[in-house]
Structure formats: structure tokens, C-alpha cells
Amino acid sequence: MSEQGTPNFVPQIRLYQNWLAEHRGLQFEDYASLWKWSTTDLDAFWQSIWDYFDLHSPSPHTAVLARNVMPGAQWFPGAQVNYAQQVLRHVEAADQAGMPALIGSNEKGQRTELSWPELQRQVAALALHLREQGVQPGDRVAAYLPNIAETAVAFLAVVSIGAVWSVCAPDMGTNAVLDRFKQIEPVALIACDGVTYGGKDHSRLDVVAQLRAALPTVRHVVLHTNLAQSGSERQAALGQSAPCADWSAIVARDDAAVRAFEPVWLPFDHPLWIVYSSGTTGMPKPIVHGHGGTIIVALALKTLHNDVGCSYHPNSWGERYHWYSSTGWVMWNAQLSGLLNGTTCVIYDGNPGGSKERPDWTTLWRFAADNAVTFFGAGAAFYANCLKAGVDLSTCGDLSTVRALGSTGSPLSEEAQNWGTEQFRRLRNKRAEAAHHAQQGSEGADDSTLGRPKANQPPGGAADHAQQGSVGADIWFCNISGGTDFAGAFIGGHRELPQTPGRMQCRLLGCAVESWNESGQPVIDEVGELVCAQPIPSMPLYFVGDVDNKRLLGSYFDMYPPGQGRKPGGGDLLLPPRSPAAHGALPPRGG
């Protein structure tokens, strides 16, 4: 029990281990043992993730890992899934609990809140519109949109009908966007008229026109008037982009077809989205991930390792997940994956550091306080900038709900992590002091209300855990290292393991991660190449236009030739290599 008398928040990874003990008869003496099982019995581990998250399919899969090779691993053959189906299954329960699906804000302070039923309705309306325009399963749909609720709606609508999503951020210029979109030959374009960033409005109508002219495969354009406010401004923007469909008119639809709409069931490995490498060493690689692999890996990462729970589950009641990102970074995809488990996602569109004229690194912290964020994530550079700017979190509003800080993109320095820890330690001590004074003042009063959870909140939820943290341990940093290439992470956090500032806590479940030297031998305390020696479900299906997988093989597998280093069962860092298998390993790229 916490000192407030409410049940302790149980870490998600502990709930999973309890489930393993109850339903599989599996108990592990430590995390190392659990991790080794997850990387040596791949079938049992990934089946447990399927069952633990109660994934649905109208047809059963005939195997878990039918073909263990890299590249070309075959996962869950026979299963049918859809990313949007997994998201929308939470609509009724989350709405009955009073939890929103998406909360967003921008530099102008314009706040949006999208309920789960409204998310479902808008997704259905846009999906039907795209289908009526001839968009078919497997067609590519390109988006030029910022980090707003409309982008989440667009993504879910596209993938719900089996089309393949690809987005570029509006801070990218015409040439950079065309380097990406020309490779995928989209049939439709969903774009915005402009964005606000750094205190200034930036029209993107000229870029939209240039994209349209340079993409001959685009047959249909949808325009969201993100900047235009008045009716005349909206009509002017739509007129400049004509012929195009008006986003607002499309998503206003509410008829019998909308209410009856259901996402289509798709093969487990049906293409979901196309993301891109940075392009620093040539043309950006258009990387394709599948529905099923992305879903199951995102659930395992976000829930078990990032400790982000379902917002309407009593143990994590009121969870609100935020990870600052633009749509040009894979963390946008990671942020949105909170919806897969029924979590409220809290998104911000704009510059986290204020404007050039008025720098302000408290922007995101105040946003988090205003929206009761429970998990706050950002790039490591963000925390370094807060440290450099001397940010004092006590001036940023009520951050008492924040119980975890996430970082990625680059290594988080020990100094930056210590800054965050000390800031939240001061906030915790101030709350504890205030609570002590309040309790002294309440002596002799009716104590029947003391220790009660907040209204509409069962005990043991995220806010109770935040209260517990006010007198408990330091803030937990979830530092992760992953890649755009496999839409996931190899190394990350564990709520129950010790923290060391500036370091990550563990290799993630299911990820047979090792550091290899030039000979393909695992090494410790030496510089090596980070590799994953066994397949995971979210590894790329292929690159668009990659004949005979030449670019795929050259990007990930040529460093270690076939037969070099990979060990059956994933291997063990503490042992020398065993008999090599017939395939190489996947080194991560990007962030």
C-alpha cells in the first residue's frame, strides 16, 4: 500500500509476469532469465504476447514463426489483423470510462479533444471517401501533415481499408518530400494549407501544388485548412488547391454507411506504412512494415517496457501518454501506437523551445501540466536544452501526474538525467511538505474523505501512483534506443530495475541483442556493432522498388555475411559463438 492508503500501481511488466505464472506456469528468478526465454523460445514468447493482449483474428494462425530466416521471416501465417481494428476495439469501453482518445494543442493555444466515438466516426467517413475515390488495398496514400489529431484520423482511415500510409512533415521542403514520395507512387495526397512553428505561420499551398505537379500518379487530393480560420480564408485555400476535396466536409459525414463501417481484415504481413531512412548517404530508403508485426511489437514495447497502460484499466486509470515528435520522425508512429492499447494520446504541434525571438523551454512542460500527462517523452536533446536554459519545473504548473520520463534519438547524458531527477525530486518534496501542512490543518475534521481517489477514478490508477511518487522513489527515466528501420527499440526501460543516470536499463524482451566485433563474435565492454541475432515481427517486409532485396541486404546484412555469428536460439553474451546459422543479423539504423 502507498502512504496515502491506496493500492500501489503495479508495473505493466509485473502484470505480464504474473500472467505468465498463472497461464503458462512460467516463473523467472530475474529479468535476465525472462529475457533469455523470450529470445530462445520465440514461438512461446510471441504467442504469449498475442494472448496477453488478446489480439483478434477471424481466422487462426497456423504457426507463430513459420520461417526463421533474416530477411524473410514468416510470422503468424493465416492470421488476419488491421491496425485500425485494434485501435477502434477500445471505443466503447474507453468512452464509457470518460477517457478521450486524443488531446492536442499548438503554439496558438488551440486545444482539441477527440472522443473515441468521434475518432471512429471521422475515420469511417474519410475511409469511405477514399474508397469512393477508387483507393484500393495496397495503394499508397501520401500525407503532408503536422502532428495534429487530423493526421491520426487520416492514418487510421487509410490503413482501415488496406491502403498503405506514408507521411512527411510540413517543415520539409518540396525536394525532400519528393525524394520520398516519388519512390512510392501514391494515388492520393492528403495535405494541409500550412503550419505554425516558432511563432510564425508558414503557408504550404505552393508546396502542395508542386507536389501535385511532380506526382503524376496522384489522382485525388484532400486539403485540410490547418491555418485558415474564417470561411473566406478556407475557400481561398481550397480554391488555390483546386481540384481538391475539403477535409472538413468529408469528416462531417454521419450516415448509416459511416455507422456501419468496419476496417477490413488483412493478412498479418499486409503493408501498413512506409517510413524513410534519413537519406544522408543517398536517396532515403522507403521502408515497409506490416500491420501485424507493428501491432504486436508496439504493444510489447509501449506497455511492458515503457510502462504505459490502458487509460480505462483500473491499474492505470487516466493514463495520458505524450512523446513529442514531428510527423517526420518515427516517434510520431510510436506516439500514436498508444491508441492500440486504449491509451489517451496527448500531442503537441509546434516548437518545443518557443520562438527565435522568445525562446521558452518550458513550453512542453506547461502543456503536460495543463493536460495531466502521466508519461512525458521527448528527444534527449530536449532535456539537454532544458538543462542549458536553466528551466525550473516548479514554475510550469502542476506536474504531479507525471510518473515517467522517456528519452531517445541520441544518448541522454548523465548530467541531463540528473537535472530531470533533481527537478522532480524538488517537486515531490514540495508536494509532501504541502500535504503534511494540509494534514495538520485537518486534525479534528471529518476524515472520511481522506485518502479517497479523485472523482471518477478507481484507486490504484495513474494519478494515485503519481501521489505515491510524491513520497516515494525518484522519477523513472525510460531511456530507449531503437530504429526507424524496425519501428521499435532494442534497448530500453524496465520499471523494476535499478536506474543508472545516462544509461539504458535492459535489452528488450524478444530482442536477441548483442554487440559484435568485426568477426561476428559477441563482446562486452568493447566497441562493437549493435545487432539483433534473431528476427522480431516488426522487421522490414521490404523496401519499395528494391529489386531482389539488394538495398535491404546491403543496408542490414552485408556487414556480417551469411553464416557469420548468428547462433540458434539467440545466443548468450557471456558465451562464445556456437554453430553459426545460415543468415546474418539486423543492425539498427536511425533513431
Side-chain angles (χ1 to χ4, degrees):
M1 300 289 283
S2 73
E3 293 192 23
Q4 281 75 22
T6 56
N8 290 334
F9 179 96
V10 181
Q12 298 294 325
I13 199 163
R14 175 54 48 193
L15 294 176
Y16 169 66
Q17 289 183 253
N18 293 345
W19 182 90
L20 284 177
E22 180 180 356
H23 295 275
R24 297 292 192 270
L26 293 172
Q27 298 189 40
F28 301 92
E29 62 181 16
D30 53 25
Y31 179 73
S33 302
L34 174 63
W35 175 84
K36 187 169 184 178
W37 167 75
S38 76
T39 55
T40 54
D41 196 343
L42 298 179
D43 282 27
F45 170 69
W46 288 110
Q47 182 64 54
S48 79
I49 297 298
W50 179 287
D51 294 339
Y52 182 70
F53 289 102
D54 189 29
L55 296 183
H56 294 174
S57 171
S59 58
H61 50 271
T62 57
V64 175
L65 180 54
R67 189 164 178 259
N68 185 344
V69 296
M70 288 192 289
Q74 186 180 15
W75 292 94
F76 294 95
Q80 299 177 70
V81 296
N82 189 302
Y83 193 108
Q85 185 85 32
Q86 173 64 25
V87 169
L88 298 178
R89 64 184 284 190
H90 298 288
V91 168
E92 183 177 355
D95 187 55
Q96 287 181 351
M99 304 300 171
L102 288 160
I103 297 172
S105 188
N106 60 20
E107 291 188 8
K108 296 179 178 178
Q110 297 168 326
R111 188 179 186 275
T112 60
E113 185 168 310
L114 204 62
S115 71
W116 283 90
E118 182 64 9
L119 173 67
Q120 182 179 46
R121 189 193 63 76
Q122 292 190 23
V123 166
L126 181 57
L128 290 172
H129 173 83
L130 293 172
R131 186 180 282 168
E132 290 161 0
Q133 301 304 314
V135 177
Q136 300 291 321
D139 284 346
R140 274 80 64 196
V141 175
Y144 188 58
L145 296 168
N147 185 25
I148 54 179
E150 288 83 356
T151 310
V153 170
F155 161 66
L156 292 172
V158 166
V159 304
S160 71
I161 60 174
V164 186
W165 168 264
S166 191
V167 64
C168 285
D171 60 348
M172 299 171 65
T174 307
N175 292 336
V177 176
L178 287 175
D179 281 348
R180 290 156 174 80
F181 286 168
K182 274 187 173 181
Q183 297 185 69
I184 70 171
E185 300 181 323
V187 302
L189 173 66
I190 306 174
C192 64
D193 61 343
V195 292
T196 301
Y197 193 86
K200 298 178 181 179
D201 289 345
H202 304 271
S203 174
R204 286 295 180 260
L205 290 174
D206 288 344
V207 177
V208 173
Q210 293 165 9
L211 295 178
R212 179 180 221 148
L215 296 170
T217 56
V218 170
R219 305 190 303 263
H220 184 64
V221 175
V222 176
L223 187 73
H224 167 54
T225 50
N226 186 51
L227 281 186
Q229 297 298 313
S230 68
S232 59
E233 289 175 338
R234 291 183 60 254
Q235 289 307 313
L238 292 165
Q240 187 173 336
S241 300
C244 67
D246 178 6
W247 171 279
S248 298
I250 294 169
V251 299
R253 179 178 175 180
D254 188 6
D255 56 20
V258 167
R259 291 187 286 273
F261 176 79
E262 290 285 343
V264 298
W265 291 105
L266 302 163
F268 188 87
D269 60 355
H270 185 86
L272 169 68
W273 59 41
I274 301 167
V275 292
Y276 303 91
S277 64
S278 62
T280 54
T281 58
M283 287 291 285
K285 298 187 292 286
I287 304 166
V288 183
H289 298 125
H291 276 253
T294 302
I295 291 169
I296 199 167
V297 168
L299 286 170
L301 166 62
K302 194 71 67 269
T303 308
L304 305 185
H305 283 286
N306 290 9
D307 201 37
V308 176
C310 171
S311 294
Y312 61 86
H313 190 284
N315 184 67
S316 46
W317 187 270
E319 188 86 273
R320 291 190 172 186
Y321 172 60
H322 165 73
W323 200 302
Y324 175 77
S325 179
S326 78
T327 52
W329 189 22
V330 76
M331 291 312 297
W332 177 83
N333 308 68
Q335 167 192 258
L336 204 63
S337 69
L339 296 174
L340 289 168
N341 199 34
T343 306
T344 298
C345 292
V346 184
I347 58 179
Y348 183 80
D349 177 39
N351 190 336
S355 66
K356 183 177 181 180
E357 295 74 21
R358 299 181 61 186
D360 182 6
W361 288 98
T362 69
T363 299
L364 281 186
W365 297 111
R366 290 183 285 106
F367 166 73
D370 291 343
N371 293 286
V373 164
T374 57
F375 186 106
F376 180 99
F382 170 80
Y383 297 101
N385 281 316
C386 290
L387 166 63
K388 184 177 179 180
V391 168
D392 180 358
L393 295 188
S394 68
T395 68
C396 298
D398 183 5
L399 291 166
S400 62
T401 58
V402 177
R403 60 182 184 82
L405 301 176
S407 78
T408 192
S410 59
L412 181 68
S413 70
E414 180 178 348
E415 185 180 20
Q417 182 163 338
N418 284 335
W419 170 85
T421 299
E422 180 58 29
Q423 287 286 322
F424 274 88
R425 187 179 295 159
R426 292 174 184 174
L427 295 179
R428 177 194 68 198
N429 292 340
K430 286 185 177 180
R431 289 196 300 271
E433 183 178 353
H436 175 70
H437 289 311
Q439 187 170 3
Q440 284 186 323
S442 67
E443 289 181 1
D446 179 5
D447 64 358
S448 62
T449 62
L450 298 181
R452 283 186 184 174
K454 295 179 180 179
N456 197 33
Q457 174 164 319
D464 277 336
H465 182 64
Q467 293 169 12
Q468 175 190 340
S470 68
V471 292
D474 282 327
I475 190 76
W476 176 57
F477 265 91
C478 179
N479 304 326
I480 67 173
S481 175
T484 300
D485 310 64
F486 56 99
F490 282 160
I491 306 174
H494 187 305
R495 176 62 86 163
E496 296 185 326
L497 292 180
Q499 292 191 94
T500 301
R503 291 197 172 194
M504 289 165 279
Q505 291 174 290
C506 64
R507 294 173 285 184
L508 301 195
L509 295 175
C511 299
V513 177
E514 299 177 344
S515 179
W516 283 3
N517 62 20
E518 293 181 357
S519 301
Q521 296 177 324
V523 295
I524 300 175
D525 292 333
E526 295 180 27
V527 175
E529 186 75 17
L530 183 65
V531 302
C532 192
Q534 288 285 357
I536 59 175
S538 65
M539 285 179 177
L541 299 176
Y542 54 87
F543 294 169
V544 176
D546 184 16
V547 179
D548 297 328
N549 278 340
K550 288 182 179 178
R551 291 186 76 190
L552 180 73
L553 292 168
S555 298
Y556 306 128
F557 298 98
D558 283 356
M559 182 177 295
Y560 299 103
Q564 179 65 54
R566 184 173 174 219
K567 299 170 287 299
D572 191 319
L573 273 175
L574 303 180
L575 299 176
R578 293 176 283 177
S579 300
H583 301 275
L586 176 74
R589 297 284 192 273

